[in-house]
Amino acid sequence: MSKINKVPTKIEIKLNENDFIVSKTDTKGKITYCNEIFMDIAAYNEKELLSSNHNIIRHPDMPKVAFKLAWDLISKGDEFFGFVKNMTKNGDFYWVFTNITADYIDGKIVGYTSVRRKANSTAIKTIMPLYKKLVEIEQNRGMKESAAFLFKFLEEKGLSYDELILSLQGA
Ligand SMILES: Cc1cc2nc3c(=O)[nH]c(=O)nc-3n(C[C@H](O)[C@H](O)[C@H](O)COP(=O)(O)O)c2cc1C
């Protein structure tokens, strides 16, 4: 069940307006809980998902810098918002608008919770070419350069990362 052996298809799985995909992980990103809708859409069963790294649904079109940003924020207790293209077990894809927050016990981070819903389709039209460019930069020049590109892109728009993402989703 490796993400590496999967061939991405061009088939998009569309979420319904009221689909909320929930998962929880430990501090390393290993899945500890997922709801029914997660399993339905990703086409994995619970046994396949539990204890797997969350990258089991990673799509190769996702830039590394998006996950770096997510982990940098959530590991210090800040929440992350982002658009994520995920891959189902058979290689199909689905876009989500994601929120990840830390779970605490006695003031200590013990894991993370992610809630996702249908991504705004207009937002995806902006995000898709941006991610394509970031992946291309990462392949040729590495993630430091893709991060620099992303921050320049935001600076030119006069927006913070959160402002861009939340305004695109209309959240
Ligand atoms: C709560 C939580 C939810 C996550 N959800 C996803 C997700 O839906 N898709 C995804 O590709 N990565 C998700 N990640 C990030 C993965 O842990 C991982 O960083 C990412 O897939 C990149 O993996 P890689 O560095 O092995 O390529 C999530 C992480 C956490 C903590």
Side-chain angles (χ1 to χ4, degrees), residues 2-48:
S2 161
K3 61 179 176 141
I4 295 148
N5 297 328
K6 259 190 294 176
V7 181
T9 75
K10 293 198 185 323
I11 300 168
E12 179 169 11
I13 308 295
K14 299 250 188 192
L15 271 69
N16 294 316
E17 295 297 335
N18 51 358
D19 284 343
F20 283 89
I21 305 179
V22 181
S23 62
K24 284 179 173 288
T25 70
D26 65 10
T27 54
K28 303 261 186 272
K30 263 193 186 175
I31 300 170
T32 54
Y33 167 81
C34 53
N35 66 351
E36 285 287 333
I37 191 79
F38 187 121
M39 294 182 261
D40 286 352
I41 291 173
Y44 286 103
N45 64 40
E46 195 171 41
K47 195 162 165 261
E48 292 169 314

Side-chain angles (χ1 to χ4, degrees), residues 3 23 25 29 53-55 57-59 67 71 74 84 86 100 112-114 116:
K3 61 179 176 141
S23 62
T25 70
N53 189 300
H54 219 306
N55 67 10
I57 56 167
R58 190 199 197 295
H59 196 287
F67 297 117
W71 278 103
I74 63 175
V84 179
N86 276 327
I100 310 178
Y112 302 100
T113 298
S114 174
R116 313 162 184 87

